[in-house]
PDB file of all heavy atoms in Angstrom:
ATOM      1  N   ALA A 106     -18.853  12.190 -11.481  1.00  0.00           N
ATOM      2  CA  ALA A 106     -20.022  12.284 -12.357  1.00  0.00           C
ATOM      3  C   ALA A 106     -19.761  13.254 -13.509  1.00  0.00           C
ATOM      4  O   ALA A 106     -20.125  12.984 -14.661  1.00  0.00           O
ATOM      5  CB  ALA A 106     -21.239  12.736 -11.555  1.00  0.00           C
ATOM      6  N   LYS A 107     -19.124  14.364 -13.206  1.00  0.00           N
ATOM      7  CA  LYS A 107     -18.823  15.345 -14.256  1.00  0.00           C
ATOM      8  C   LYS A 107     -17.850  14.783 -15.288  1.00  0.00           C
ATOM      9  O   LYS A 107     -17.953  15.079 -16.482  1.00  0.00           O
ATOM     10  CB  LYS A 107     -18.233  16.613 -13.634  1.00  0.00           C
ATOM     11  CG  LYS A 107     -19.232  17.479 -12.907  1.00  0.00           C
ATOM     12  CD  LYS A 107     -18.586  18.781 -12.453  1.00  0.00           C
ATOM     13  CE  LYS A 107     -19.601  19.730 -11.849  1.00  0.00           C
ATOM     14  NZ  LYS A 107     -19.006  21.042 -11.502  1.00  0.00           N
ATOM     15  N   PHE A 108     -16.899  13.997 -14.825  1.00  0.00           N
ATOM     16  CA  PHE A 108     -15.902  13.445 -15.731  1.00  0.00           C
ATOM     17  C   PHE A 108     -16.441  12.254 -16.514  1.00  0.00           C
ATOM     18  O   PHE A 108     -16.099  12.070 -17.685  1.00  0.00           O
ATOM     19  CB  PHE A 108     -14.651  13.018 -14.948  1.00  0.00           C
ATOM     20  CG  PHE A 108     -13.520  12.552 -15.828  1.00  0.00           C
ATOM     21  CD1 PHE A 108     -12.690  13.476 -16.463  1.00  0.00           C
ATOM     22  CD2 PHE A 108     -13.285  11.204 -16.029  1.00  0.00           C
ATOM     23  CE1 PHE A 108     -11.664  13.053 -17.281  1.00  0.00           C
ATOM     24  CE2 PHE A 108     -12.254  10.774 -16.848  1.00  0.00           C
ATOM     25  CZ  PHE A 108     -11.429  11.701 -17.477  1.00  0.00           C
ATOM     26  N   LEU A 109     -17.311  11.469 -15.876  1.00  0.00           N
ATOM     27  CA  LEU A 109     -17.707  10.182 -16.451  1.00  0.00           C
ATOM     28  C   LEU A 109     -19.027  10.234 -17.212  1.00  0.00           C
ATOM     29  O   LEU A 109     -19.156   9.603 -18.269  1.00  0.00           O
ATOM     30  CB  LEU A 109     -17.807   9.150 -15.322  1.00  0.00           C
ATOM     31  CG  LEU A 109     -17.666   7.668 -15.669  1.00  0.00           C
ATOM     32  CD1 LEU A 109     -16.286   7.386 -16.254  1.00  0.00           C
ATOM     33  CD2 LEU A 109     -17.885   6.817 -14.420  1.00  0.00           C
ATOM     34  N   ASP A 110     -20.010  10.950 -16.686  1.00  0.00           N
ATOM     35  CA  ASP A 110     -21.356  10.901 -17.245  1.00  0.00           C
ATOM     36  C   ASP A 110     -21.587  11.988 -18.292  1.00  0.00           C
ATOM     37  O   ASP A 110     -21.052  13.097 -18.187  1.00  0.00           O
ATOM     38  CB  ASP A 110     -22.397  11.040 -16.135  1.00  0.00           C
ATOM     39  CG  ASP A 110     -22.406   9.840 -15.201  1.00  0.00           C
ATOM     40  OD1 ASP A 110     -21.754   8.829 -15.530  1.00  0.00           O
ATOM     41  OD2 ASP A 110     -23.065   9.924 -14.146  1.00  0.00           O
ATOM     42  N   ASP A 111     -22.422  11.674 -19.253  1.00  0.00           N
ATOM     43  CA  ASP A 111     -22.780  12.659 -20.274  1.00  0.00           C
ATOM     44  C   ASP A 111     -23.716  13.720 -19.706  1.00  0.00           C
ATOM     45  O   ASP A 111     -23.689  14.878 -20.117  1.00  0.00           O
ATOM     46  CB  ASP A 111     -23.458  11.966 -21.461  1.00  0.00           C
ATOM     47  CG  ASP A 111     -22.505  11.045 -22.219  1.00  0.00           C
ATOM     48  OD1 ASP A 111     -21.299  11.350 -22.264  1.00  0.00           O
ATOM     49  OD2 ASP A 111     -22.981  10.029 -22.750  1.00  0.00           O
ATOM     50  N   MET A 112     -24.557  13.311 -18.767  1.00  0.00           N
ATOM     51  CA  MET A 112     -25.480  14.243 -18.131  1.00  0.00           C
ATOM     52  C   MET A 112     -25.293  14.182 -16.625  1.00  0.00           C
ATOM     53  O   MET A 112     -25.195  13.086 -16.044  1.00  0.00           O
ATOM     54  CB  MET A 112     -26.926  13.901 -18.497  1.00  0.00           C
ATOM     55  CG  MET A 112     -27.224  13.996 -19.982  1.00  0.00           C
ATOM     56  SD  MET A 112     -28.952  13.613 -20.384  1.00  0.00           S
ATOM     57  CE  MET A 112     -29.789  14.962 -19.543  1.00  0.00           C
ATOM     58  N   TYR A 113     -25.250  15.337 -15.979  1.00  0.00           N
ATOM     59  CA  TYR A 113     -25.050  15.385 -14.537  1.00  0.00           C
ATOM     60  C   TYR A 113     -25.644  16.686 -13.990  1.00  0.00           C
ATOM     61  O   TYR A 113     -25.870  17.646 -14.731  1.00  0.00           O
ATOM     62  CB  TYR A 113     -23.557  15.310 -14.186  1.00  0.00           C
ATOM     63  CG  TYR A 113     -22.698  16.310 -14.931  1.00  0.00           C
ATOM     64  CD1 TYR A 113     -22.555  17.628 -14.477  1.00  0.00           C
ATOM     65  CD2 TYR A 113     -22.032  15.957 -16.098  1.00  0.00           C
ATOM     66  CE1 TYR A 113     -21.786  18.549 -15.148  1.00  0.00           C
ATOM     67  CE2 TYR A 113     -21.257  16.866 -16.787  1.00  0.00           C
ATOM     68  CZ  TYR A 113     -21.135  18.169 -16.311  1.00  0.00           C
ATOM     69  OH  TYR A 113     -20.376  19.080 -16.997  1.00  0.00           O
ATOM     70  N   TYR A 114     -25.893  16.697 -12.686  1.00  0.00           N
ATOM     71  CA  TYR A 114     -26.448  17.882 -12.042  1.00  0.00           C
ATOM     72  C   TYR A 114     -25.352  18.919 -11.795  1.00  0.00           C
ATOM     73  O   TYR A 114     -24.148  18.594 -11.760  1.00  0.00           O
ATOM     74  CB  TYR A 114     -27.101  17.504 -10.714  1.00  0.00           C
ATOM     75  CG  TYR A 114     -28.364  16.702 -10.868  1.00  0.00           C
ATOM     76  CD1 TYR A 114     -28.419  15.364 -10.481  1.00  0.00           C
ATOM     77  CD2 TYR A 114     -29.517  17.277 -11.392  1.00  0.00           C
ATOM     78  CE1 TYR A 114     -29.583  14.615 -10.609  1.00  0.00           C
ATOM     79  CE2 TYR A 114     -30.688  16.548 -11.527  1.00  0.00           C
ATOM     80  CZ  TYR A 114     -30.707  15.215 -11.134  1.00  0.00           C
ATOM     81  OH  TYR A 114     -31.859  14.490 -11.271  1.00  0.00           O
ATOM     82  N   ASN A 115     -25.778  20.160 -11.570  1.00  0.00           N
ATOM     83  CA  ASN A 115     -24.795  21.218 -11.314  1.00  0.00           C
ATOM     84  C   ASN A 115     -24.383  21.234  -9.838  1.00  0.00           C
ATOM     85  O   ASN A 115     -24.894  20.480  -9.015  1.00  0.00           O
ATOM     86  CB  ASN A 115     -25.352  22.588 -11.740  1.00  0.00           C
ATOM     87  CG  ASN A 115     -26.636  22.953 -11.008  1.00  0.00           C
ATOM     88  OD1 ASN A 115     -26.924  22.428  -9.929  1.00  0.00           O
ATOM     89  ND2 ASN A 115     -27.411  23.866 -11.577  1.00  0.00           N
ATOM     90  N   ASN A 116     -23.435  22.124  -9.538  1.00  0.00           N
ATOM     91  CA  ASN A 116     -22.892  22.195  -8.176  1.00  0.00           C
ATOM     92  C   ASN A 116     -23.946  22.542  -7.135  1.00  0.00           C
ATOM     93  O   ASN A 116     -23.890  22.060  -6.000  1.00  0.00           O
ATOM     94  CB  ASN A 116     -21.758  23.221  -8.124  1.00  0.00           C
ATOM     95  CG  ASN A 116     -20.497  22.717  -8.808  1.00  0.00           C
ATOM     96  OD1 ASN A 116     -20.556  21.856  -9.699  1.00  0.00           O
ATOM     97  ND2 ASN A 116     -19.349  23.247  -8.421  1.00  0.00           N
ATOM     98  N   ALA A 117     -24.908  23.378  -7.519  1.00  0.00           N
ATOM     99  CA  ALA A 117     -25.956  23.785  -6.573  1.00  0.00           C
ATOM    100  C   ALA A 117     -26.774  22.580  -6.132  1.00  0.00           C
ATOM    101  O   ALA A 117     -27.138  22.448  -4.954  1.00  0.00           O
ATOM    102  CB  ALA A 117     -26.855  24.845  -7.206  1.00  0.00           C
ATOM    103  N   TYR A 118     -27.051  21.678  -7.069  1.00  0.00           N
ATOM    104  CA  TYR A 118     -27.823  20.480  -6.737  1.00  0.00           C
ATOM    105  C   TYR A 118     -27.028  19.567  -5.808  1.00  0.00           C
ATOM    106  O   TYR A 118     -27.547  19.071  -4.809  1.00  0.00           O
ATOM    107  CB  TYR A 118     -28.196  19.729  -8.011  1.00  0.00           C
ATOM    108  CG  TYR A 118     -29.040  18.499  -7.748  1.00  0.00           C
ATOM    109  CD1 TYR A 118     -30.424  18.586  -7.603  1.00  0.00           C
ATOM    110  CD2 TYR A 118     -28.448  17.242  -7.622  1.00  0.00           C
ATOM    111  CE1 TYR A 118     -31.196  17.466  -7.344  1.00  0.00           C
ATOM    112  CE2 TYR A 118     -29.208  16.111  -7.359  1.00  0.00           C
ATOM    113  CZ  TYR A 118     -30.583  16.230  -7.226  1.00  0.00           C
ATOM    114  OH  TYR A 118     -31.331  15.112  -6.964  1.00  0.00           O
ATOM    115  N   TYR A 119     -25.757  19.339  -6.145  1.00  0.00           N
ATOM    116  CA  TYR A 119     -24.919  18.490  -5.292  1.00  0.00           C
ATOM    117  C   TYR A 119     -24.741  19.098  -3.907  1.00  0.00           C
ATOM    118  O   TYR A 119     -24.630  18.383  -2.910  1.00  0.00           O
ATOM    119  CB  TYR A 119     -23.560  18.247  -5.946  1.00  0.00           C
ATOM    120  CG  TYR A 119     -23.560  17.061  -6.871  1.00  0.00           C
ATOM    121  CD1 TYR A 119     -23.773  17.222  -8.238  1.00  0.00           C
ATOM    122  CD2 TYR A 119     -23.377  15.771  -6.391  1.00  0.00           C
ATOM    123  CE1 TYR A 119     -23.795  16.132  -9.091  1.00  0.00           C
ATOM    124  CE2 TYR A 119     -23.403  14.676  -7.230  1.00  0.00           C
ATOM    125  CZ  TYR A 119     -23.605  14.857  -8.581  1.00  0.00           C
ATOM    126  OH  TYR A 119     -23.630  13.771  -9.419  1.00  0.00           O
ATOM    127  N   ALA A 120     -24.711  20.425  -3.848  1.00  0.00           N
ATOM    128  CA  ALA A 120     -24.609  21.092  -2.548  1.00  0.00           C
ATOM    129  C   ALA A 120     -25.815  20.766  -1.683  1.00  0.00           C
ATOM    130  O   ALA A 120     -25.689  20.487  -0.478  1.00  0.00           O
ATOM    131  CB  ALA A 120     -24.479  22.601  -2.742  1.00  0.00           C
ATOM    132  N   LYS A 121     -27.009  20.778  -2.285  1.00  0.00           N
ATOM    133  CA  LYS A 121     -28.222  20.427  -1.537  1.00  0.00           C
ATOM    134  C   LYS A 121     -28.183  18.975  -1.082  1.00  0.00           C
ATOM    135  O   LYS A 121     -28.559  18.654   0.054  1.00  0.00           O
ATOM    136  CB  LYS A 121     -29.457  20.672  -2.407  1.00  0.00           C
ATOM    137  CG  LYS A 121     -29.787  22.144  -2.610  1.00  0.00           C
ATOM    138  CD  LYS A 121     -31.070  22.319  -3.403  1.00  0.00           C
ATOM    139  CE  LYS A 121     -31.416  23.784  -3.572  1.00  0.00           C
ATOM    140  NZ  LYS A 121     -32.675  23.978  -4.353  1.00  0.00           N
TER     141      LYS A 121
END
Side-chain angles (χ1 to χ4, degrees):
K107 286 186 174 185
F108 185 80
L109 203 62
D110 293 349
D111 293 328
M112 298 181 64
Y113 51 84
Y114 290 112
N115 59 22
N116 287 25
Y118 182 84
Y119 273 95
K121 287 184 178 180

